[in-house]
Amino acid sequence: MKPVDLLKGLCAIVLALAFLLWLYGTFTNQPDFVTAAMWLGDVLVMLPAYLIPTITAWLVKSPRLKTIALLNILGGWLLIPWIIAMGMAIKRDDLRAQD
């Protein structure tokens, strides 16, 4: 099984769990469950957005994947390191002009 398929399955399970928590909390008048469902939904949206440089580097098979992932995970919550990591992820060394 491919890692992408596992990731899709995990996201589907977490999304289903968030929806079920929201339903249960809404219909039983328990706001804590609704809050937990909203947190899970936020994680499903924000985590991939946070890791876009690492995901991009992985998809383009960047030789700097480890450096980008480290910079993204440790400093990606700040705007400047996230932009640097994204720039490193999309930089293509193989497109340099031949002398």
Side-chain angles (χ1 to χ4, degrees):
M1 186 172 249
K2 295 179 181 179
V4 173
D5 294 334
L6 290 174
L7 189 59
K8 282 190 218 177
L10 179 63
C11 286
I13 290 169
V14 173
L15 183 61
L17 178 63
F19 183 69
L20 291 174
L21 278 174
W22 177 80
L23 278 177
Y24 180 77
T26 300
F27 290 112
T28 60
N29 199 22
Q30 296 185 18
D32 288 341
F33 285 101
V34 174
T35 303
M38 290 189 322
W39 275 96
L40 276 175
D42 289 347
V43 166
L44 276 177
V45 171
M46 294 307 294
L47 189 62
Y50 177 79
L51 294 174
I52 283 175
T54 302
I55 294 168
T56 303
W58 177 61
L59 289 174
V60 300
K61 296 173 181 38
S62 173
R64 295 176 292 275
L65 176 60
K66 290 180 184 177
T67 306
I68 293 166
L70 187 66
L71 178 62
N72 188 207
I73 291 168
L74 295 179
W77 53 277
L78 297 170
L79 184 60
I80 300 300
W82 190 92
I83 291 172
I84 292 170
M86 191 64 200
M88 290 172 63
I90 61 175
K91 182 179 178 188
R92 299 294 307 262
D93 293 339
D94 57 342
L95 297 179
R96 289 186 187 162
Q98 298 291 331
D99 291 48

Short mmCIF file of all heavy atoms in Angstrom, two decimals, residues 6-67:
data_model
loop_
_atom_site.label_atom_id
_atom_site.label_comp_id
_atom_site.label_asym_id
_atom_site.label_seq_id
_atom_site.Cartn_x
_atom_site.Cartn_y
_atom_site.Cartn_z
N LEU A 6 -2.40 5.55 2.44
CA LEU A 6 -2.52 5.52 3.90
C LEU A 6 -2.89 6.89 4.46
O LEU A 6 -3.72 7.01 5.36
CB LEU A 6 -1.21 5.04 4.54
CG LEU A 6 -0.87 3.57 4.34
CD1 LEU A 6 0.52 3.28 4.89
CD2 LEU A 6 -1.89 2.69 5.02
N LEU A 7 -2.28 7.93 3.90
CA LEU A 7 -2.58 9.29 4.34
C LEU A 7 -4.02 9.67 4.03
O LEU A 7 -4.70 10.27 4.86
CB LEU A 7 -1.61 10.27 3.68
CG LEU A 7 -1.63 11.69 4.18
CD1 LEU A 7 -1.30 11.74 5.66
CD2 LEU A 7 -0.66 12.54 3.40
N LYS A 8 -4.51 9.29 2.85
CA LYS A 8 -5.90 9.56 2.50
C LYS A 8 -6.84 8.84 3.46
O LYS A 8 -7.84 9.41 3.90
CB LYS A 8 -6.19 9.10 1.07
CG LYS A 8 -5.70 10.02 0.00
CD LYS A 8 -6.28 9.53 -1.32
CE LYS A 8 -5.31 9.65 -2.44
NZ LYS A 8 -5.82 9.12 -3.71
N GLY A 9 -6.54 7.61 3.77
CA GLY A 9 -7.37 6.83 4.69
C GLY A 9 -7.38 7.45 6.09
O GLY A 9 -8.44 7.54 6.72
N LEU A 10 -6.22 7.88 6.55
CA LEU A 10 -6.13 8.52 7.86
C LEU A 10 -6.93 9.81 7.90
O LEU A 10 -7.66 10.08 8.87
CB LEU A 10 -4.67 8.78 8.22
CG LEU A 10 -4.41 9.45 9.56
CD1 LEU A 10 -4.88 8.56 10.70
CD2 LEU A 10 -2.95 9.79 9.71
N CYS A 11 -6.82 10.60 6.85
CA CYS A 11 -7.59 11.86 6.78
C CYS A 11 -9.09 11.58 6.76
O CYS A 11 -9.86 12.28 7.41
CB CYS A 11 -7.19 12.67 5.56
SG CYS A 11 -5.59 13.46 5.73
N ALA A 12 -9.51 10.54 6.04
CA ALA A 12 -10.93 10.19 6.00
C ALA A 12 -11.43 9.76 7.37
O ALA A 12 -12.53 10.13 7.79
CB ALA A 12 -11.16 9.09 4.97
N ILE A 13 -10.62 9.00 8.09
CA ILE A 13 -11.01 8.55 9.43
C ILE A 13 -11.12 9.73 10.40
O ILE A 13 -12.09 9.84 11.15
CB ILE A 13 -10.00 7.50 9.96
CG1 ILE A 13 -10.14 6.20 9.18
CG2 ILE A 13 -10.18 7.25 11.45
CD1 ILE A 13 -9.04 5.20 9.44
N VAL A 14 -10.14 10.63 10.36
CA VAL A 14 -10.18 11.80 11.24
C VAL A 14 -11.36 12.70 10.89
O VAL A 14 -12.04 13.23 11.79
CB VAL A 14 -8.84 12.58 11.19
CG1 VAL A 14 -8.92 13.87 11.97
CG2 VAL A 14 -7.72 11.71 11.74
N LEU A 15 -11.64 12.88 9.61
CA LEU A 15 -12.78 13.68 9.20
C LEU A 15 -14.09 13.05 9.66
O LEU A 15 -14.98 13.75 10.16
CB LEU A 15 -12.78 13.85 7.68
CG LEU A 15 -13.88 14.72 7.09
CD1 LEU A 15 -13.77 16.14 7.63
CD2 LEU A 15 -13.81 14.72 5.58
N ALA A 16 -14.22 11.74 9.51
CA ALA A 16 -15.42 11.05 9.98
C ALA A 16 -15.56 11.18 11.50
O ALA A 16 -16.67 11.40 12.01
CB ALA A 16 -15.38 9.57 9.57
N LEU A 17 -14.46 11.05 12.22
CA LEU A 17 -14.49 11.21 13.67
C LEU A 17 -14.92 12.62 14.07
O LEU A 17 -15.75 12.80 14.97
CB LEU A 17 -13.12 10.89 14.27
CG LEU A 17 -12.99 11.06 15.78
CD1 LEU A 17 -13.91 10.10 16.51
CD2 LEU A 17 -11.55 10.84 16.20
N ALA A 18 -14.39 13.62 13.38
CA ALA A 18 -14.79 15.01 13.67
C ALA A 18 -16.27 15.21 13.42
O ALA A 18 -16.97 15.85 14.21
CB ALA A 18 -13.96 15.98 12.83
N PHE A 19 -16.77 14.65 12.32
CA PHE A 19 -18.20 14.79 12.00
C PHE A 19 -19.07 14.09 13.04
O PHE A 19 -20.09 14.63 13.49
CB PHE A 19 -18.47 14.24 10.59
CG PHE A 19 -19.89 14.41 10.16
CD1 PHE A 19 -20.40 15.67 9.89
CD2 PHE A 19 -20.72 13.30 10.03
CE1 PHE A 19 -21.73 15.83 9.49
CE2 PHE A 19 -22.03 13.45 9.63
CZ PHE A 19 -22.54 14.71 9.37
N LEU A 20 -18.67 12.88 13.43
CA LEU A 20 -19.45 12.15 14.44
C LEU A 20 -19.43 12.86 15.79
O LEU A 20 -20.45 12.91 16.49
CB LEU A 20 -18.93 10.72 14.57
CG LEU A 20 -19.20 9.81 13.38
CD1 LEU A 20 -18.51 8.47 13.54
CD2 LEU A 20 -20.69 9.63 13.16
N LEU A 21 -18.27 13.39 16.17
CA LEU A 21 -18.19 14.16 17.42
C LEU A 21 -19.10 15.38 17.37
O LEU A 21 -19.80 15.70 18.33
CB LEU A 21 -16.75 14.61 17.69
CG LEU A 21 -15.82 13.62 18.33
CD1 LEU A 21 -14.41 14.19 18.37
CD2 LEU A 21 -16.27 13.26 19.72
N TRP A 22 -19.10 16.05 16.23
CA TRP A 22 -19.94 17.23 16.07
C TRP A 22 -21.42 16.85 16.17
O TRP A 22 -22.19 17.52 16.86
CB TRP A 22 -19.65 17.90 14.73
CG TRP A 22 -20.54 19.07 14.47
CD1 TRP A 22 -20.40 20.32 14.97
CD2 TRP A 22 -21.72 19.08 13.66
NE1 TRP A 22 -21.42 21.12 14.51
CE2 TRP A 22 -22.24 20.38 13.71
CE3 TRP A 22 -22.36 18.12 12.90
CZ2 TRP A 22 -23.40 20.73 13.03
CZ3 TRP A 22 -23.50 18.47 12.22
CH2 TRP A 22 -24.01 19.77 12.29
N LEU A 23 -21.81 15.77 15.48
CA LEU A 23 -23.20 15.32 15.55
C LEU A 23 -23.60 14.96 16.97
O LEU A 23 -24.66 15.38 17.46
CB LEU A 23 -23.42 14.10 14.64
CG LEU A 23 -23.64 14.35 13.17
CD1 LEU A 23 -23.76 13.02 12.42
CD2 LEU A 23 -24.88 15.19 12.94
N TYR A 24 -22.77 14.17 17.63
CA TYR A 24 -23.08 13.75 19.00
C TYR A 24 -23.19 14.95 19.93
O TYR A 24 -24.12 15.06 20.71
CB TYR A 24 -22.00 12.77 19.50
CG TYR A 24 -22.26 12.30 20.90
CD1 TYR A 24 -23.22 11.34 21.15
CD2 TYR A 24 -21.54 12.81 21.97
CE1 TYR A 24 -23.47 10.89 22.44
CE2 TYR A 24 -21.77 12.38 23.26
CZ TYR A 24 -22.75 11.42 23.49
OH TYR A 24 -23.00 11.00 24.76
N GLY A 25 -22.24 15.85 19.83
CA GLY A 25 -22.25 17.03 20.69
C GLY A 25 -23.43 17.95 20.41
O GLY A 25 -24.00 18.55 21.33
N THR A 26 -23.81 18.06 19.16
CA THR A 26 -24.93 18.93 18.79
C THR A 26 -26.26 18.37 19.29
O THR A 26 -27.06 19.08 19.89
CB THR A 26 -24.99 19.11 17.26
OG1 THR A 26 -23.77 19.71 16.83
CG2 THR A 26 -26.15 20.02 16.87
N PHE A 27 -26.49 17.08 19.06
CA PHE A 27 -27.79 16.50 19.39
C PHE A 27 -27.93 16.12 20.85
O PHE A 27 -29.05 15.91 21.32
CB PHE A 27 -28.09 15.31 18.49
CG PHE A 27 -28.35 15.73 17.07
CD1 PHE A 27 -27.47 15.41 16.06
CD2 PHE A 27 -29.47 16.48 16.75
CE1 PHE A 27 -27.70 15.81 14.76
CE2 PHE A 27 -29.72 16.89 15.44
CZ PHE A 27 -28.83 16.55 14.45
N THR A 28 -26.83 16.03 21.60
CA THR A 28 -26.93 15.75 23.03
C THR A 28 -26.66 16.99 23.87
O THR A 28 -26.56 16.90 25.08
CB THR A 28 -25.96 14.62 23.45
OG1 THR A 28 -24.62 15.03 23.15
CG2 THR A 28 -26.30 13.32 22.75
N ASN A 29 -26.53 18.13 23.19
CA ASN A 29 -26.30 19.42 23.86
C ASN A 29 -25.06 19.38 24.75
O ASN A 29 -25.09 19.77 25.92
CB ASN A 29 -27.54 19.84 24.65
CG ASN A 29 -27.52 21.33 24.95
OD1 ASN A 29 -26.84 22.10 24.27
ND2 ASN A 29 -28.27 21.74 25.95
N GLN A 30 -23.95 18.89 24.18
CA GLN A 30 -22.67 18.84 24.90
C GLN A 30 -21.64 19.64 24.09
O GLN A 30 -21.03 19.11 23.16
CB GLN A 30 -22.22 17.40 25.08
CG GLN A 30 -23.17 16.61 25.97
CD GLN A 30 -22.64 15.22 26.23
OE1 GLN A 30 -21.47 14.93 26.05
NE2 GLN A 30 -23.52 14.35 26.67
N PRO A 31 -21.46 20.90 24.45
CA PRO A 31 -20.58 21.76 23.65
C PRO A 31 -19.11 21.33 23.63
O PRO A 31 -18.38 21.69 22.73
CB PRO A 31 -20.74 23.14 24.29
CG PRO A 31 -21.35 22.90 25.62
CD PRO A 31 -22.08 21.60 25.55
N ASP A 32 -18.67 20.54 24.62
CA ASP A 32 -17.28 20.07 24.62
C ASP A 32 -16.99 19.19 23.41
O ASP A 32 -15.91 19.24 22.83
CB ASP A 32 -16.96 19.31 25.90
CG ASP A 32 -16.87 20.23 27.10
OD1 ASP A 32 -16.70 21.45 26.90
OD2 ASP A 32 -16.97 19.73 28.24
N PHE A 33 -17.96 18.37 23.02
CA PHE A 33 -17.78 17.51 21.86
C PHE A 33 -17.77 18.33 20.57
O PHE A 33 -17.04 18.02 19.63
CB PHE A 33 -18.86 16.43 21.81
CG PHE A 33 -18.65 15.33 22.80
CD1 PHE A 33 -19.37 15.30 23.98
CD2 PHE A 33 -17.72 14.33 22.56
CE1 PHE A 33 -19.17 14.30 24.90
CE2 PHE A 33 -17.51 13.33 23.48
CZ PHE A 33 -18.23 13.30 24.66
N VAL A 34 -18.59 19.36 20.51
CA VAL A 34 -18.61 20.24 19.34
C VAL A 34 -17.27 20.96 19.22
O VAL A 34 -16.70 21.08 18.13
CB VAL A 34 -19.78 21.23 19.42
CG1 VAL A 34 -19.73 22.23 18.28
CG2 VAL A 34 -21.11 20.50 19.41
N THR A 35 -16.73 21.43 20.36
CA THR A 35 -15.43 22.09 20.36
C THR A 35 -14.33 21.14 19.90
O THR A 35 -13.46 21.52 19.10
CB THR A 35 -15.11 22.64 21.76
OG1 THR A 35 -16.16 23.52 22.15
CG2 THR A 35 -13.78 23.36 21.79
N ALA A 36 -14.36 19.89 20.38
CA ALA A 36 -13.36 18.90 19.96
C ALA A 36 -13.45 18.64 18.47
O ALA A 36 -12.43 18.51 17.78
CB ALA A 36 -13.54 17.61 20.74
N ALA A 37 -14.67 18.58 17.94
CA ALA A 37 -14.86 18.36 16.50
C ALA A 37 -14.29 19.53 15.70
O ALA A 37 -13.67 19.34 14.65
CB ALA A 37 -16.33 18.16 16.19
N MET A 38 -14.49 20.74 16.19
CA MET A 38 -13.96 21.92 15.49
C MET A 38 -12.43 21.91 15.52
O MET A 38 -11.78 22.26 14.54
CB MET A 38 -14.53 23.20 16.10
CG MET A 38 -15.99 23.36 15.78
SD MET A 38 -16.77 24.94 16.20
CE MET A 38 -16.06 25.40 17.73
N TRP A 39 -11.83 21.50 16.65
CA TRP A 39 -10.38 21.41 16.73
C TRP A 39 -9.84 20.38 15.73
O TRP A 39 -8.84 20.61 15.06
CB TRP A 39 -9.93 21.04 18.14
CG TRP A 39 -9.82 22.21 19.04
CD1 TRP A 39 -10.76 22.67 19.91
CD2 TRP A 39 -8.71 23.10 19.16
NE1 TRP A 39 -10.30 23.78 20.55
CE2 TRP A 39 -9.06 24.07 20.12
CE3 TRP A 39 -7.47 23.17 18.53
CZ2 TRP A 39 -8.19 25.09 20.47
CZ3 TRP A 39 -6.61 24.19 18.89
CH2 TRP A 39 -6.96 25.13 19.85
N LEU A 40 -10.50 19.23 15.63
CA LEU A 40 -10.06 18.21 14.67
C LEU A 40 -10.18 18.73 13.24
O LEU A 40 -9.30 18.48 12.40
CB LEU A 40 -10.91 16.94 14.82
CG LEU A 40 -10.47 15.96 15.89
CD1 LEU A 40 -11.49 14.83 16.00
CD2 LEU A 40 -9.11 15.40 15.60
N GLY A 41 -11.25 19.44 12.94
CA GLY A 41 -11.40 20.02 11.61
C GLY A 41 -10.31 21.04 11.31
O GLY A 41 -9.77 21.09 10.20
N ASP A 42 -9.98 21.85 12.31
CA ASP A 42 -8.90 22.83 12.13
C ASP A 42 -7.57 22.14 11.85
O ASP A 42 -6.79 22.58 11.01
CB ASP A 42 -8.77 23.71 13.36
CG ASP A 42 -9.92 24.70 13.51
OD1 ASP A 42 -10.67 24.86 12.53
OD2 ASP A 42 -10.05 25.28 14.60
N VAL A 43 -7.30 21.05 12.55
CA VAL A 43 -6.05 20.31 12.35
C VAL A 43 -6.01 19.74 10.93
O VAL A 43 -4.97 19.79 10.27
CB VAL A 43 -5.90 19.18 13.40
CG1 VAL A 43 -4.82 18.20 13.01
CG2 VAL A 43 -5.61 19.78 14.76
N LEU A 44 -7.14 19.23 10.45
CA LEU A 44 -7.17 18.67 9.10
C LEU A 44 -6.87 19.73 8.04
O LEU A 44 -6.33 19.41 6.99
CB LEU A 44 -8.54 18.05 8.81
CG LEU A 44 -8.74 16.63 9.28
CD1 LEU A 44 -10.16 16.18 8.98
CD2 LEU A 44 -7.75 15.69 8.64
N VAL A 45 -7.23 20.97 8.31
CA VAL A 45 -7.00 22.03 7.33
C VAL A 45 -5.62 22.66 7.50
O VAL A 45 -4.89 22.87 6.54
CB VAL A 45 -8.10 23.11 7.44
CG1 VAL A 45 -7.78 24.32 6.60
CG2 VAL A 45 -9.44 22.52 7.05
N MET A 46 -5.25 22.95 8.74
CA MET A 46 -4.04 23.73 8.99
C MET A 46 -2.75 22.92 8.91
O MET A 46 -1.73 23.45 8.50
CB MET A 46 -4.12 24.41 10.37
CG MET A 46 -5.21 25.46 10.43
SD MET A 46 -5.13 26.68 9.10
CE MET A 46 -3.60 27.50 9.50
N LEU A 47 -2.77 21.65 9.28
CA LEU A 47 -1.54 20.87 9.24
C LEU A 47 -1.00 20.72 7.83
O LEU A 47 0.20 20.97 7.60
CB LEU A 47 -1.75 19.50 9.90
CG LEU A 47 -0.49 18.69 10.11
CD1 LEU A 47 0.47 19.41 11.05
CD2 LEU A 47 -0.83 17.33 10.66
N PRO A 48 -1.83 20.37 6.84
CA PRO A 48 -1.28 20.33 5.47
C PRO A 48 -0.82 21.71 4.99
O PRO A 48 0.17 21.82 4.28
CB PRO A 48 -2.44 19.81 4.62
CG PRO A 48 -3.32 19.10 5.57
CD PRO A 48 -3.18 19.81 6.88
N ALA A 49 -1.54 22.77 5.37
CA ALA A 49 -1.13 24.11 4.95
C ALA A 49 0.23 24.47 5.57
O ALA A 49 1.07 25.08 4.92
CB ALA A 49 -2.19 25.14 5.37
N TYR A 50 0.44 24.08 6.81
CA TYR A 50 1.70 24.33 7.49
C TYR A 50 2.85 23.58 6.82
O TYR A 50 3.97 24.08 6.72
CB TYR A 50 1.56 23.89 8.95
CG TYR A 50 2.80 24.03 9.79
CD1 TYR A 50 3.19 25.27 10.30
CD2 TYR A 50 3.58 22.93 10.10
CE1 TYR A 50 4.32 25.40 11.08
CE2 TYR A 50 4.71 23.05 10.88
CZ TYR A 50 5.08 24.28 11.37
OH TYR A 50 6.18 24.40 12.14
N LEU A 51 2.57 22.38 6.34
CA LEU A 51 3.61 21.52 5.77
C LEU A 51 3.72 21.59 4.25
O LEU A 51 4.35 20.73 3.63
CB LEU A 51 3.38 20.07 6.21
CG LEU A 51 3.54 19.81 7.69
CD1 LEU A 51 3.15 18.39 8.02
CD2 LEU A 51 4.95 20.10 8.15
N ILE A 52 3.12 22.59 3.62
CA ILE A 52 3.18 22.71 2.16
C ILE A 52 4.61 22.69 1.62
O ILE A 52 4.88 22.00 0.64
CB ILE A 52 2.41 23.95 1.67
CG1 ILE A 52 0.91 23.68 1.72
CG2 ILE A 52 2.80 24.34 0.25
CD1 ILE A 52 0.05 24.87 1.38
N PRO A 53 5.59 23.40 2.22
CA PRO A 53 6.96 23.31 1.68
C PRO A 53 7.53 21.89 1.72
O PRO A 53 8.14 21.45 0.75
CB PRO A 53 7.76 24.25 2.59
CG PRO A 53 6.76 25.22 3.11
CD PRO A 53 5.50 24.43 3.27
N THR A 54 7.30 21.17 2.80
CA THR A 54 7.81 19.81 2.90
C THR A 54 7.12 18.89 1.90
O THR A 54 7.77 18.07 1.24
CB THR A 54 7.62 19.29 4.34
OG1 THR A 54 8.29 20.16 5.24
CG2 THR A 54 8.15 17.88 4.49
N ILE A 55 5.81 19.03 1.78
CA ILE A 55 5.05 18.22 0.83
C ILE A 55 5.51 18.52 -0.60
O ILE A 55 5.70 17.60 -1.41
CB ILE A 55 3.54 18.45 1.01
CG1 ILE A 55 3.09 17.93 2.38
CG2 ILE A 55 2.75 17.79 -0.11
CD1 ILE A 55 1.69 18.37 2.78
N THR A 56 5.71 19.79 -0.91
CA THR A 56 6.17 20.18 -2.24
C THR A 56 7.56 19.59 -2.53
O THR A 56 7.79 19.05 -3.61
CB THR A 56 6.22 21.71 -2.36
OG1 THR A 56 4.92 22.24 -2.09
CG2 THR A 56 6.67 22.15 -3.74
N ALA A 57 8.46 19.70 -1.57
CA ALA A 57 9.81 19.14 -1.75
C ALA A 57 9.75 17.63 -1.97
O ALA A 57 10.50 17.08 -2.78
CB ALA A 57 10.68 19.48 -0.55
N TRP A 58 8.87 16.97 -1.26
CA TRP A 58 8.72 15.52 -1.40
C TRP A 58 8.18 15.18 -2.78
O TRP A 58 8.65 14.24 -3.44
CB TRP A 58 7.82 15.00 -0.29
CG TRP A 58 7.53 13.53 -0.38
CD1 TRP A 58 8.42 12.50 -0.32
CD2 TRP A 58 6.24 12.95 -0.55
NE1 TRP A 58 7.77 11.30 -0.44
CE2 TRP A 58 6.42 11.55 -0.58
CE3 TRP A 58 4.96 13.45 -0.67
CZ2 TRP A 58 5.37 10.67 -0.72
CZ3 TRP A 58 3.92 12.56 -0.81
CH2 TRP A 58 4.12 11.20 -0.83
N LEU A 59 7.18 15.94 -3.25
CA LEU A 59 6.57 15.66 -4.56
C LEU A 59 7.52 15.92 -5.73
O LEU A 59 7.49 15.19 -6.73
CB LEU A 59 5.30 16.49 -4.74
CG LEU A 59 4.11 16.07 -3.87
CD1 LEU A 59 2.97 17.05 -4.03
CD2 LEU A 59 3.67 14.65 -4.20
N VAL A 60 8.37 16.95 -5.63
CA VAL A 60 9.31 17.24 -6.72
C VAL A 60 10.64 16.51 -6.54
O VAL A 60 11.56 16.71 -7.31
CB VAL A 60 9.55 18.76 -6.90
CG1 VAL A 60 8.26 19.47 -7.21
CG2 VAL A 60 10.24 19.37 -5.70
N LYS A 61 10.71 15.69 -5.50
CA LYS A 61 11.91 14.90 -5.20
C LYS A 61 13.15 15.79 -5.06
O LYS A 61 14.18 15.56 -5.68
CB LYS A 61 12.12 13.82 -6.25
CG LYS A 61 11.00 12.79 -6.27
CD LYS A 61 11.14 11.83 -7.41
CE LYS A 61 10.07 10.80 -7.49
NZ LYS A 61 8.73 11.16 -7.16
N SER A 62 13.02 16.82 -4.23
CA SER A 62 14.11 17.75 -4.00
C SER A 62 15.25 17.07 -3.25
O SER A 62 15.02 16.31 -2.31
CB SER A 62 13.60 18.94 -3.18
OG SER A 62 14.66 19.79 -2.82
N PRO A 63 16.49 17.35 -3.65
CA PRO A 63 17.62 16.78 -2.92
C PRO A 63 17.78 17.39 -1.53
O PRO A 63 18.52 16.86 -0.70
CB PRO A 63 18.83 17.10 -3.81
CG PRO A 63 18.40 18.27 -4.62
CD PRO A 63 16.92 18.13 -4.80
N ARG A 64 17.09 18.48 -1.25
CA ARG A 64 17.17 19.16 0.05
C ARG A 64 15.97 18.85 0.94
O ARG A 64 15.64 19.61 1.82
CB ARG A 64 17.25 20.67 -0.18
CG ARG A 64 18.50 21.12 -0.88
CD ARG A 64 18.48 22.61 -1.16
NE ARG A 64 17.47 22.97 -2.14
CZ ARG A 64 17.63 22.93 -3.45
NH1 ARG A 64 18.78 22.54 -3.95
NH2 ARG A 64 16.67 23.27 -4.28
N LEU A 65 15.33 17.71 0.74
CA LEU A 65 14.09 17.39 1.46
C LEU A 65 14.29 17.41 2.98
O LEU A 65 13.48 17.99 3.71
CB LEU A 65 13.55 16.03 1.01
CG LEU A 65 12.31 15.53 1.76
CD1 LEU A 65 11.15 16.50 1.57
CD2 LEU A 65 11.93 14.15 1.28
N LYS A 66 15.37 16.83 3.47
CA LYS A 66 15.59 16.79 4.93
C LYS A 66 15.78 18.18 5.50
O LYS A 66 15.23 18.52 6.55
CB LYS A 66 16.79 15.90 5.26
CG LYS A 66 16.53 14.44 5.00
CD LYS A 66 17.73 13.61 5.33
CE LYS A 66 17.49 12.16 4.99
NZ LYS A 66 18.65 11.32 5.22
N THR A 67 16.53 19.01 4.81
CA THR A 67 16.76 20.39 5.27
C THR A 67 15.46 21.18 5.26
O THR A 67 15.15 21.91 6.21
CB THR A 67 17.80 21.09 4.37
OG1 THR A 67 18.97 20.30 4.33
CG2 THR A 67 18.11 22.48 4.88
#
